[in-house]
Every structure is written in C-alpha cells, then in structure tokens.
Amino acid sequence: MARKASELACPATARPDRHAYSGCPQLKETLMRHAFTQAARSALALGLFAAGLGLSGAAAAQEPIIFVHGYSGSSSNFDAMLMRFTASGYPRAKLYGFNYSSLTSSDRTSAASLNTFINSVRASNGNQPVSVIAHSNGGLVVRWQRAKLGGQAGMRRFITLGTPHKGTTSAYGCYSPACFDMRPGSSFITQLAGAGCDRSLWSANDGVILPASNAQCGTSVQTASVGHIAMLTDTSVYNQVRAQLP
C-alpha cells in the first residue's frame, strides 16, 4: 500500500476518535491497523487458526483465491483468514493478496490494476478461474472490474465482507477519490447500478457501513454482530466465507 498518508498534514479540525473514516488519513490508518492487530492477536490466543476445518465442493479443487483489502488497508489484513485456509489444507501458493493505493487512487483506477493482477494469476494457474474475497471498499473495486472490465468471465465466486455496495455515510468523513466513490449516490455507485455482485456478508453491528444494510448485494448472508474489522478475524465469519465458496 502506498504510504502517501504519512506525508499529509491533518487539518486543524481533525479530532482523534474511533471512526474508521476520520478526516485525518494518517490517524485513521494508525487506528485501523491497531484495531486489526489487536483482533488478530486475540484470535491467535484462542488457537482459532488450528481448527483444521475442511473445504468442500468446488472450493476443494484448490483454485486460486485472491484477497482484496479495504480502504487504507493492505493484504496483511487477511493474514488471519489465510492462516485458517492453510490450516484447513488449502495450498498457500494458491492464496494471493492484491494491494492497491486506496488513499490516492479512485476505485476505477484500482479496478484496472486488479484486472491486470487477476489476469497474471490466471496465467500462472493454467488460465483457471479464480475466486475473490474482498473486504469493505475492496468489494467496490472488484465489482467495477467484474462489471466494467469483463472480469466476471474469469471469476467463479466473489464474496464481499462489509462492502458499502450502496455507499456509506461514514465516507463523508474522509477526502480522497476512493472516499468519494463510497459515498451514497456517488457517480461510481450510480454507474455500477447494482451490477457485479455475487455473495455478500454483512453485520448489523458493522459500525462503518452506515446503514449496515447497505452492505447487502446479490445473495446476502448476515453474520454475527461483529464490527467492521472483526469480520476479518472472526471464526464464524470465516466459516460463512468458506460455506459460500462452493
């Protein structure tokens, strides 16, 4: 992920709070990384990565799976989920993390980069279709790639976790191209017109996607009442992701 945020000065009106989309990018990024680290450590302490849960159906064919992070995140946000996949017997070499510059690039630009990345992954795997798991804003990036760049043909399954499919009012608290894309009624969301969805997981207690129901698109499944970042580390959410893959 580009580190441009550290080069920006916070406005005088910026206030430290727990909002994941605060007006101060570097403060927001620090808080988000801290929240994820704490959640991951808690999961590790409980020994949840050694569950040894198996995969079934088409997912057992061990197709490439690509993970797409959310706003201000990185592929490392999926470390907990990757550990669960490998603990279940999924080859680590088949799990790919895509990084994009969410603090500086529009979702359209990021989708073009994702399209190139997916084509490269497929070329390295006998042109096999991929499945994609995306968190938060990453889901919008994938939807654009699927709906506008022809990506749907090479993607067998697409699962989102807490993605603002219909926008989120919390995006009014940040200022970047991707933030503008996440706002309700944005030209980005309007042009998608509901296209590009597949499976969506959403939490009534998300806290970042406001209203929470805006994370529903395509076939929707409600998760346990966990927070936005906790969706990446919660055991039950992982089990629901796995159940949606076949």
Side-chain angles (χ1 to χ4, degrees), residues 16 33 53 68 79 84 94 123 127 133 137 220:
R33 288 183 180 278
L53 298 171
V68 183
D79 282 354
R84 287 191 170 104
K94 290 284 189 176
N127 208 37
I133 299 170
N137 180 68
S220 296

Side-chain angles (χ1 to χ4, degrees), residues 76-155:
S76 65
N77 294 157
F78 282 99
D79 282 354
M81 193 170 291
L82 263 65
M83 290 178 73
R84 287 191 170 104
F85 268 100
T86 55
S88 73
Y90 215 96
R92 181 61 182 84
K94 290 284 189 176
L95 304 175
Y96 297 83
F98 171 72
N99 286 293
Y100 62 101
S101 302
S102 59
L103 294 174
T104 59
S105 300
S106 71
D107 286 347
R108 294 175 179 84
T109 298
S110 298
S113 297
L114 174 63
N115 196 50
T116 300
F117 184 82
I118 290 177
N119 288 338
S120 176
V121 169
R122 294 190 65 204
S124 298
N125 289 274
N127 208 37
Q128 187 178 8
V130 301
S131 281
V132 176
I133 299 170
H135 179 241
S136 196
N137 180 68
L140 294 182
V141 173
V142 180
R143 282 182 60 196
W144 193 270
Q145 187 267 345
R146 283 166 57 86
K148 302 297 185 178
L149 303 179
Q152 190 161 328
M155 196 180 302

